[in-house]
Amino acid sequence: MSLAEKLKSDKFIVTCEIGPPKGINVDKILKEADSFKERVDAVNVTDLQSSVMRLGSLVMCYLLRTWGHEPILQLTTRDRNRLALQSDILSAAVLGIENILALTGDHPLRGDHPEAKPVYDLDSVQLLEVIKLLNSGVDMAGNKLDGKPKILPGAAVNPGIDPIEPEIIKMEKKVKSGAKFFQTQAVFDIDKFTLFLKKVKHIDVPILASVILLKSPAMAHYMNDNVAGVNVPNTLIKDIESVDKKDRVKKAVEIASGLINGLKTLCRGVHIMPIGWESKVPLLLDAAGL
Amino acid sequence: MIITKQKDKKTILDYLKGDKKIFIAGCGECATVCKTGGEEEVLSMKNFLGKYGKIVTGTTVVDVPCHLVKAKKMYQQHKKQIQESDSILAMVCGDGVQTIMDGTKGKKVHPALETLFLGEVQPNGRFVQKCSLCSDCVLDETGSLCPITLCPKGLLNGPCGGAKDGKCEVDKDMDCVWIQIYERLKKLGQLSKMKKIQPTRDNSKRLSPRRLETK
Ligand code: SF4
Ligand code: SF4
């Protein structure tokens, strides 16, 4: 069953995210992805995440596909103009990649090539419109395509951001522009997330809530200080601090699986962001009963 | 206002290596306001170049150096001094440098200023870019706040989701303009403008060089 079909069923969806390597050695990441194959419904591949130059999402998605995964191509508008974006969407379709997460992307100034020219010819809403157009068999210039793609477009939403209203306005625009699923920024506070869901209950598009493996108190503090819309509650930080370093993995898995269990009844699925701990994903899936 | 700052003195001396006699031209408009090419700055440049063995043949502050007719007039008024100079040091914006070159029959002109942006002049020597001259103004849709310029990503359909405590994810010293646009449109009772999907932009409208023929 494809991700599109699963989203239409009432199955609880699990997606997981991987970041391509900086370099060309893909064995490790493929092996790690293999360890959760068939246990997750799709695997997101980040697109030069945090504006750090690395192997491309398209190639990594293709490799995952040949290894039997269902990939989700993350596509940002940061680095490519409309010619390149449309071309990459067609390329993805030819390579059998059917899911695209349409993103604006972090600014290059925050990455490892701050002198790069940011492109942003389109924004994420406009990129969704473009996918809709290409799916209908024409390009942005109105030219007819010889064979049309069948891409399932998804989008991102940050449920913890303040103020939330502009974010919801944008979310509604993304739905109008064809988003068929949402993946969220990391969720740590189930009560707050429940409030968000109440505010968007008029939006009838599946939401997959992101869960992060919290490696250390330092990581939690870093996210609280630097990542918009993320607020790791103090109780969770104390919880990680309370265990020995060697038990950190166990603790991270316990916290994340607890969150997943809380989310099971709230939304359509979860999106796991292991951020370097890809090898621990099977443990998390075990603990969460997935 | 065209915002400029002076290039560092070493760079200016490098440009002028090989030139002995220099004519200095300033600007009576923007560069005077920015204190980069007004009477005072031209005089201090004259003294500086004198210290480094240059002969300053003459100085002037052109009222509008980016105006070709005015640049030509300046040439007529200072013809002798300019002709006997090896070059002109122009304390004007990049546009003015080229207009002065045109107006002085192709004289060698060196830029003394770095041309930065079109901006608002604020108190205490502060200048802020507010418009990037995009040739397709959207201000009526955005509560008179320019997302093309004030959002580092130039987004048209709302915030990127990266603002923390109202501050832009790219520059923490700056408010996220999309949150400000939201607040403003809400106050003006125009939130429907933000809900509208803004189409992609026609970048062919702002290809360089741009021209405008009015007659
Ligand atoms: S939209 Fe912004 S950049 Fe474009 S003309 Fe208006 S103020 Fe200037
Ligand atoms: S935080 Fe706001 S101003 Fe900064 S890039 Fe994002 S949308 Fe633009």
Side-chain angles (χ1 to χ4, degrees):
Chain A
M1 240 205 290
S2 69
L3 179 63
E5 288 160 350
K6 285 178 183 166
L7 285 166
K8 279 186 199 134
S9 72
D10 50 13
K11 183 185 179 312
F12 188 72
I13 310 283
V14 183
T15 58
C16 183
E17 179 170 300
I18 63 163
K22 193 172 188 85
I24 61 171
N25 290 334
V26 291
D27 297 354
K28 180 169 168 277
I29 193 81
L30 281 172
K31 239 177 245 148
E32 282 169 354
D34 224 35
S35 72
F36 47 80
K37 187 161 88 180
E38 277 152 21
R39 297 190 66 184
V40 301
D41 299 295
V43 181
N44 284 54
V45 182
T46 54
D47 177 12
L48 275 53
Q49 194 179 12
S50 310
S51 299
V52 170
M53 195 293 296
R54 47 179 77 240
L55 180 68
S57 181
L58 189 57
V59 162
M60 200 68 225
C61 282
Y62 175 67
L63 289 176
L64 285 176
R65 218 190 111 69
T66 57
W67 280 50
H69 299 267
E70 168 125 7
I72 299 177
L73 175 78
Q74 297 198 176
L75 189 61
T76 71
T77 63
R78 173 190 57 226
D79 308 310
R80 306 165 187 84
N81 69 6
R82 62 191 76 183
L83 288 169
L85 284 169
Q86 292 179 94
S87 175
D88 276 2
I89 294 166
L90 297 184
S91 302
V94 168
L95 296 175
I97 298 156
E98 296 173 329
N99 318 300
I100 293 182
L101 189 74
L103 301 168
T104 301
D106 301 323
H107 196 282
L109 213 53
R110 299 265 77 90
D112 68 349
H113 287 62
E115 291 170 350
K117 179 174 185 174
V119 179
Y120 300 116
D121 186 16
L122 311 180
D123 61 31
S124 53
V125 173
Q126 293 164 342
L127 181 58
L128 287 164
E129 290 285 335
V130 169
I131 296 173
K132 199 202 280 179
L133 263 181
L134 294 176
N135 278 346
S136 78
V138 286
D139 69 10
M140 286 176 73
N143 299 313
K144 203 166 169 291
L145 301 177
D146 180 8
K148 52 186 181 186
K150 205 175 146 219
I151 299 289
L152 178 80
V157 66
N158 192 342
I161 205 146
D162 179 38
I164 191 68
E165 294 80 7
E167 184 74 6
I168 294 177
I169 292 175
K170 192 157 187 181
M171 192 184 180
E172 290 164 351
K173 285 164 101 164
K174 287 175 173 177
V175 172
K176 259 194 231 153
S177 299
K180 294 286 180 284
F181 65 95
F182 280 97
Q183 290 176 316
T184 73
Q185 180 55 281
V187 171
F188 288 102
D189 187 328
I190 299 277
D191 294 340
K192 263 189 152 174
F193 184 63
T194 309
L195 279 176
F196 166 77
L197 289 176
K198 266 199 194 123
K199 289 194 176 132
V200 296
K201 63 171 186 296
H202 59 292
I203 293 178
D204 188 24
V205 171
I207 295 173
L208 314 180
S210 286
V211 174
I212 283 186
L213 279 169
L214 266 182
K215 293 181 200 173
S216 63
M219 181 187 186
H221 287 300
Y222 177 83
M223 285 196 296
N224 281 350
D225 291 343
N226 295 290
V227 185
V230 170
N231 187 11
V232 186
N234 262 328
T235 48
L236 279 190
I237 301 180
K238 290 233 168 67
D239 204 11
I240 316 168
E241 277 167 350
S242 71
V243 301
D244 233 46
K245 270 206 173 134
K246 63 172 178 22
D247 293 324
R248 287 263 168 88
V249 174
K250 217 174 114 198
K251 195 53 164 183
V253 165
E254 181 193 310
I255 292 173
S257 60
L259 285 166
I260 293 176
N261 282 323
L263 290 162
K264 275 181 183 164
T265 51
L266 287 177
C267 58
R268 276 303 314 282
V270 285
H271 174 60
I272 300 166
M273 301 205 269
I275 317 184
W277 270 8
E278 285 78 7
S279 61
K280 323 286 189 252
V281 172
L283 285 177
L284 173 58
L285 294 170
D286 290 342
L290 295 168
Chain B
M1 184 74 48
I2 306 295
I3 311 304
T4 50
K5 70 171 188 195
Q6 217 172 83
K7 285 180 181 266
D8 65 63
K9 291 272 170 36
K10 193 180 157 297
T11 306
I12 294 176
L13 286 176
D14 267 359
Y15 291 163
L16 299 178
K17 220 184 257 165
D19 295 353
K20 181 81 183 159
K21 295 180 168 178
I22 316 287
F23 183 83
I24 304 175
C27 158
E29 294 281 342
C30 308
T32 289
V33 175
C34 293
K35 296 196 190 310
T36 51
E39 296 286 356
E40 218 173 287
E41 296 76 40
V42 165
L43 184 66
S44 108
M45 182 63 79
K46 182 183 167 193
N47 295 335
F48 169 75
L49 293 184
K51 264 189 235 151
Y52 282 82
K54 306 285 178 195
I55 298 165
V56 177
T57 58
T59 63
T60 184
V61 172
V62 192
D63 45 359
V64 194
C66 54
H67 194 312
L68 186 55
V69 175
K70 311 251 178 190
K72 281 182 174 164
K73 210 166 109 198
M74 182 277 286
Y75 183 53
Q76 290 309 324
Q77 282 166 351
H78 302 274
K79 204 166 189 171
K80 200 171 150 282
Q81 295 159 311
I82 292 175
Q83 278 177 349
E84 68 173 3
S85 301
D86 297 310
S87 62
I88 300 174
L89 181 65
M91 302 178 72
V92 307
C93 73
D95 184 305
V97 169
Q98 299 175 66
T99 310
I100 289 176
M101 181 185 74
D102 284 347
T104 56
K105 299 217 159 83
K107 190 77 193 174
K108 181 157 67 160
V109 187
H110 301 288
L113 307 186
E114 211 60 80
T115 307
L116 301 174
F117 50 85
L118 173 70
E120 180 178 283
V121 181
Q122 296 181 351
N124 302 321
R126 198 165 181 265
F127 305 94
V128 181
Q129 187 186 17
K130 291 279 176 83
C131 166
S132 6
L133 307 169
C134 79
S135 298
D136 192 6
C137 196
V138 300
L139 284 178
D140 200 62
E141 302 287 317
T142 55
S144 306
L145 288 164
C146 174
I148 307 295
T149 308
L150 297 170
C151 164
K153 299 178 186 174
L155 303 182
L156 279 175
N157 278 295
C160 70
K164 192 160 176 69
D165 306 322
K167 298 293 178 189
C168 172
E169 76 162 21
V170 183
D171 180 354
K172 290 190 171 56
D173 294 330
M174 191 172 84
D175 293 325
C176 165
V177 75
W178 267 108
I179 295 178
Q180 292 182 308
I181 292 173
Y182 163 75
E183 306 285 3
R184 252 188 82 72
L185 290 176
K186 191 164 115 179
K187 210 162 91 194
L188 296 171
Q190 296 185 335
L191 267 185
S192 60
K193 290 192 172 177
M194 189 162 166
K195 294 182 181 165
K196 211 166 85 191
I197 291 169
Q198 296 294 341
T200 54
R201 309 203 89 204
D202 177 358
N203 290 299
S204 69
K205 285 186 180 163
R206 50 191 149 271
L207 293 181
S208 295
R210 279 174 258 178
R211 267 182 303 262
L212 174 67
E213 319 271 354
T214 57
K215 277 193 196 120

